[in-house]
PDB file of all heavy atoms in Angstrom:
ATOM      1  N   ASN A1441      18.697  -4.091  -1.162  1.00  0.00           N
ATOM      2  CA  ASN A1441      19.218  -5.128  -0.269  1.00  0.00           C
ATOM      3  C   ASN A1441      18.142  -6.139   0.111  1.00  0.00           C
ATOM      4  O   ASN A1441      18.399  -7.344   0.177  1.00  0.00           O
ATOM      5  CB  ASN A1441      19.810  -4.479   0.983  1.00  0.00           C
ATOM      6  CG  ASN A1441      21.057  -3.667   0.676  1.00  0.00           C
ATOM      7  OD1 ASN A1441      21.816  -3.996  -0.234  1.00  0.00           O
ATOM      8  ND2 ASN A1441      21.271  -2.598   1.418  1.00  0.00           N
ATOM      9  N   TRP A1442      16.920  -5.622   0.341  1.00  0.00           N
ATOM     10  CA  TRP A1442      15.816  -6.514   0.698  1.00  0.00           C
ATOM     11  C   TRP A1442      15.493  -7.455  -0.462  1.00  0.00           C
ATOM     12  O   TRP A1442      15.289  -8.661  -0.252  1.00  0.00           O
ATOM     13  CB  TRP A1442      14.576  -5.689   1.058  1.00  0.00           C
ATOM     14  CG  TRP A1442      13.400  -6.524   1.462  1.00  0.00           C
ATOM     15  CD1 TRP A1442      13.088  -6.956   2.713  1.00  0.00           C
ATOM     16  CD2 TRP A1442      12.391  -7.065   0.594  1.00  0.00           C
ATOM     17  NE1 TRP A1442      11.938  -7.733   2.693  1.00  0.00           N
ATOM     18  CE2 TRP A1442      11.491  -7.812   1.404  1.00  0.00           C
ATOM     19  CE3 TRP A1442      12.145  -6.980  -0.775  1.00  0.00           C
ATOM     20  CZ2 TRP A1442      10.373  -8.466   0.877  1.00  0.00           C
ATOM     21  CZ3 TRP A1442      11.042  -7.636  -1.303  1.00  0.00           C
ATOM     22  CH2 TRP A1442      10.162  -8.367  -0.487  1.00  0.00           C
ATOM     23  N   TYR A1443      15.461  -6.922  -1.691  1.00  0.00           N
ATOM     24  CA  TYR A1443      15.116  -7.743  -2.852  1.00  0.00           C
ATOM     25  C   TYR A1443      16.175  -8.823  -3.081  1.00  0.00           C
ATOM     26  O   TYR A1443      15.844  -9.990  -3.321  1.00  0.00           O
ATOM     27  CB  TYR A1443      14.978  -6.869  -4.102  1.00  0.00           C
ATOM     28  CG  TYR A1443      14.469  -7.635  -5.301  1.00  0.00           C
ATOM     29  CD1 TYR A1443      13.105  -7.789  -5.527  1.00  0.00           C
ATOM     30  CD2 TYR A1443      15.352  -8.224  -6.218  1.00  0.00           C
ATOM     31  CE1 TYR A1443      12.631  -8.503  -6.615  1.00  0.00           C
ATOM     32  CE2 TYR A1443      14.893  -8.946  -7.305  1.00  0.00           C
ATOM     33  CZ  TYR A1443      13.525  -9.080  -7.501  1.00  0.00           C
ATOM     34  OH  TYR A1443      13.065  -9.796  -8.581  1.00  0.00           O
ATOM     35  N   LYS A1444      17.435  -8.464  -2.997  1.00  0.00           N
ATOM     36  CA  LYS A1444      18.504  -9.438  -3.205  1.00  0.00           C
ATOM     37  C   LYS A1444      18.436 -10.557  -2.161  1.00  0.00           C
ATOM     38  O   LYS A1444      18.595 -11.736  -2.499  1.00  0.00           O
ATOM     39  CB  LYS A1444      19.859  -8.731  -3.161  1.00  0.00           C
ATOM     40  CG  LYS A1444      20.127  -7.853  -4.377  1.00  0.00           C
ATOM     41  CD  LYS A1444      21.240  -6.854  -4.144  1.00  0.00           C
ATOM     42  CE  LYS A1444      22.578  -7.487  -3.896  1.00  0.00           C
ATOM     43  NZ  LYS A1444      23.658  -6.456  -3.771  1.00  0.00           N
ATOM     44  N   GLU A1445      18.174 -10.194  -0.919  1.00  0.00           N
ATOM     45  CA  GLU A1445      18.094 -11.177   0.154  1.00  0.00           C
ATOM     46  C   GLU A1445      16.893 -12.102  -0.033  1.00  0.00           C
ATOM     47  O   GLU A1445      16.987 -13.317   0.162  1.00  0.00           O
ATOM     48  CB  GLU A1445      17.999 -10.456   1.506  1.00  0.00           C
ATOM     49  CG  GLU A1445      17.741 -11.367   2.691  1.00  0.00           C
ATOM     50  CD  GLU A1445      18.892 -12.324   2.970  1.00  0.00           C
ATOM     51  OE1 GLU A1445      20.042 -12.005   2.599  1.00  0.00           O
ATOM     52  OE2 GLU A1445      18.633 -13.399   3.562  1.00  0.00           O
ATOM     53  N   ASN A1446      15.761 -11.539  -0.438  1.00  0.00           N
ATOM     54  CA  ASN A1446      14.518 -12.309  -0.503  1.00  0.00           C
ATOM     55  C   ASN A1446      14.319 -13.042  -1.820  1.00  0.00           C
ATOM     56  O   ASN A1446      13.316 -13.757  -1.981  1.00  0.00           O
ATOM     57  CB  ASN A1446      13.326 -11.393  -0.214  1.00  0.00           C
ATOM     58  CG  ASN A1446      13.159 -11.115   1.257  1.00  0.00           C
ATOM     59  OD1 ASN A1446      12.503 -11.855   1.977  1.00  0.00           O
ATOM     60  ND2 ASN A1446      13.797 -10.038   1.728  1.00  0.00           N
ATOM     61  N   THR A1447      15.234 -12.883  -2.751  1.00  0.00           N
ATOM     62  CA  THR A1447      15.163 -13.655  -4.002  1.00  0.00           C
ATOM     63  C   THR A1447      16.391 -14.545  -4.165  1.00  0.00           C
ATOM     64  O   THR A1447      16.641 -15.055  -5.258  1.00  0.00           O
ATOM     65  CB  THR A1447      15.038 -12.718  -5.225  1.00  0.00           C
ATOM     66  OG1 THR A1447      16.132 -11.784  -5.250  1.00  0.00           O
ATOM     67  CG2 THR A1447      13.718 -11.956  -5.199  1.00  0.00           C
ATOM     68  N   ARG A1448      17.134 -14.729  -3.091  1.00  0.00           N
ATOM     69  CA  ARG A1448      18.331 -15.570  -3.175  1.00  0.00           C
ATOM     70  C   ARG A1448      17.969 -17.015  -3.507  1.00  0.00           C
ATOM     71  O   ARG A1448      18.622 -17.658  -4.338  1.00  0.00           O
ATOM     72  CB  ARG A1448      19.098 -15.507  -1.851  1.00  0.00           C
ATOM     73  CG  ARG A1448      20.381 -16.329  -1.866  1.00  0.00           C
ATOM     74  CD  ARG A1448      21.226 -16.105  -0.617  1.00  0.00           C
ATOM     75  NE  ARG A1448      21.813 -14.774  -0.632  1.00  0.00           N
ATOM     76  CZ  ARG A1448      21.537 -13.819   0.269  1.00  0.00           C
ATOM     77  NH1 ARG A1448      20.680 -14.057   1.250  1.00  0.00           N
ATOM     78  NH2 ARG A1448      22.118 -12.636   0.194  1.00  0.00           N
ATOM     79  N   ASP A1449      16.933 -17.544  -2.879  1.00  0.00           N
ATOM     80  CA  ASP A1449      16.558 -18.937  -3.082  1.00  0.00           C
ATOM     81  C   ASP A1449      15.299 -19.107  -3.917  1.00  0.00           C
ATOM     82  O   ASP A1449      15.111 -20.155  -4.546  1.00  0.00           O
ATOM     83  CB  ASP A1449      16.364 -19.620  -1.722  1.00  0.00           C
ATOM     84  CG  ASP A1449      17.634 -19.619  -0.886  1.00  0.00           C
ATOM     85  OD1 ASP A1449      18.712 -19.840  -1.465  1.00  0.00           O
ATOM     86  OD2 ASP A1449      17.540 -19.367   0.329  1.00  0.00           O
ATOM     87  N   PHE A1450      14.423 -18.096  -3.908  1.00  0.00           N
ATOM     88  CA  PHE A1450      13.179 -18.190  -4.665  1.00  0.00           C
ATOM     89  C   PHE A1450      12.925 -16.882  -5.408  1.00  0.00           C
ATOM     90  O   PHE A1450      13.765 -15.982  -5.367  1.00  0.00           O
ATOM     91  CB  PHE A1450      12.011 -18.530  -3.724  1.00  0.00           C
ATOM     92  CG  PHE A1450      12.146 -19.870  -3.064  1.00  0.00           C
ATOM     93  CD1 PHE A1450      12.643 -19.987  -1.769  1.00  0.00           C
ATOM     94  CD2 PHE A1450      11.799 -21.025  -3.756  1.00  0.00           C
ATOM     95  CE1 PHE A1450      12.790 -21.225  -1.165  1.00  0.00           C
ATOM     96  CE2 PHE A1450      11.929 -22.275  -3.159  1.00  0.00           C
ATOM     97  CZ  PHE A1450      12.430 -22.377  -1.863  1.00  0.00           C
ATOM     98  N   SER A1451      11.793 -16.785  -6.061  1.00  0.00           N
ATOM     99  CA  SER A1451      11.490 -15.616  -6.884  1.00  0.00           C
ATOM    100  C   SER A1451      10.441 -14.743  -6.216  1.00  0.00           C
ATOM    101  O   SER A1451       9.736 -15.156  -5.295  1.00  0.00           O
ATOM    102  CB  SER A1451      10.986 -16.059  -8.261  1.00  0.00           C
ATOM    103  OG  SER A1451      11.985 -16.780  -8.955  1.00  0.00           O
ATOM    104  N   MET A1452      10.314 -13.512  -6.741  1.00  0.00           N
ATOM    105  CA  MET A1452       9.372 -12.541  -6.196  1.00  0.00           C
ATOM    106  C   MET A1452       8.367 -12.146  -7.271  1.00  0.00           C
ATOM    107  O   MET A1452       8.733 -11.799  -8.400  1.00  0.00           O
ATOM    108  CB  MET A1452      10.135 -11.294  -5.722  1.00  0.00           C
ATOM    109  CG  MET A1452       9.278 -10.266  -4.998  1.00  0.00           C
ATOM    110  SD  MET A1452       8.754 -10.815  -3.347  1.00  0.00           S
ATOM    111  CE  MET A1452      10.354 -11.000  -2.540  1.00  0.00           C
ATOM    112  N   GLY A1453       7.091 -12.206  -6.919  1.00  0.00           N
ATOM    113  CA  GLY A1453       6.040 -11.732  -7.799  1.00  0.00           C
ATOM    114  C   GLY A1453       5.671 -10.299  -7.470  1.00  0.00           C
ATOM    115  O   GLY A1453       6.042  -9.764  -6.422  1.00  0.00           O
ATOM    116  N   PHE A1454       4.908  -9.682  -8.378  1.00  0.00           N
ATOM    117  CA  PHE A1454       4.550  -8.269  -8.216  1.00  0.00           C
ATOM    118  C   PHE A1454       3.071  -8.106  -8.541  1.00  0.00           C
ATOM    119  O   PHE A1454       2.647  -8.346  -9.674  1.00  0.00           O
ATOM    120  CB  PHE A1454       5.387  -7.414  -9.181  1.00  0.00           C
ATOM    121  CG  PHE A1454       5.414  -5.941  -8.860  1.00  0.00           C
ATOM    122  CD1 PHE A1454       6.500  -5.378  -8.212  1.00  0.00           C
ATOM    123  CD2 PHE A1454       4.369  -5.108  -9.226  1.00  0.00           C
ATOM    124  CE1 PHE A1454       6.546  -4.015  -7.924  1.00  0.00           C
ATOM    125  CE2 PHE A1454       4.398  -3.753  -8.945  1.00  0.00           C
ATOM    126  CZ  PHE A1454       5.487  -3.211  -8.296  1.00  0.00           C
ATOM    127  N   PHE A1455       2.291  -7.724  -7.540  1.00  0.00           N
ATOM    128  CA  PHE A1455       0.867  -7.477  -7.745  1.00  0.00           C
ATOM    129  C   PHE A1455       0.616  -5.994  -7.547  1.00  0.00           C
ATOM    130  O   PHE A1455       0.850  -5.455  -6.460  1.00  0.00           O
ATOM    131  CB  PHE A1455       0.018  -8.288  -6.764  1.00  0.00           C
ATOM    132  CG  PHE A1455      -1.450  -8.272  -7.091  1.00  0.00           C
ATOM    133  CD1 PHE A1455      -1.988  -9.217  -7.957  1.00  0.00           C
ATOM    134  CD2 PHE A1455      -2.297  -7.308  -6.555  1.00  0.00           C
ATOM    135  CE1 PHE A1455      -3.334  -9.211  -8.270  1.00  0.00           C
ATOM    136  CE2 PHE A1455      -3.640  -7.289  -6.865  1.00  0.00           C
ATOM    137  CZ  PHE A1455      -4.173  -8.242  -7.721  1.00  0.00           C
ATOM    138  N   GLN A1456       0.141  -5.327  -8.605  1.00  0.00           N
ATOM    139  CA  GLN A1456       0.049  -3.873  -8.607  1.00  0.00           C
ATOM    140  C   GLN A1456      -1.402  -3.397  -8.638  1.00  0.00           C
ATOM    141  O   GLN A1456      -2.170  -3.774  -9.523  1.00  0.00           O
ATOM    142  CB  GLN A1456       0.802  -3.323  -9.827  1.00  0.00           C
ATOM    143  CG  GLN A1456       0.786  -1.821  -9.956  1.00  0.00           C
ATOM    144  CD  GLN A1456       1.693  -1.353 -11.082  1.00  0.00           C
ATOM    145  OE1 GLN A1456       2.764  -1.917 -11.313  1.00  0.00           O
ATOM    146  NE2 GLN A1456       1.280  -0.327 -11.783  1.00  0.00           N
ATOM    147  N   ILE A1457      -1.760  -2.569  -7.665  1.00  0.00           N
ATOM    148  CA  ILE A1457      -3.072  -1.934  -7.639  1.00  0.00           C
ATOM    149  C   ILE A1457      -2.903  -0.477  -8.030  1.00  0.00           C
ATOM    150  O   ILE A1457      -2.257   0.294  -7.313  1.00  0.00           O
ATOM    151  CB  ILE A1457      -3.712  -2.040  -6.242  1.00  0.00           C
ATOM    152  CG1 ILE A1457      -3.917  -3.516  -5.858  1.00  0.00           C
ATOM    153  CG2 ILE A1457      -5.036  -1.292  -6.192  1.00  0.00           C
ATOM    154  CD1 ILE A1457      -4.432  -3.714  -4.452  1.00  0.00           C
TER     155      ILE A1457
END
Side-chain angles (χ1 to χ4, degrees):
N1441 293 328
W1442 181 89
Y1443 186 87
K1444 289 163 64 176
E1445 173 66 25
N1446 282 272
T1447 56
R1448 182 172 289 116
D1449 299 320
F1450 297 98
S1451 297
M1452 186 71 62
F1454 197 101
F1455 191 88
Q1456 180 173 323
I1457 299 175

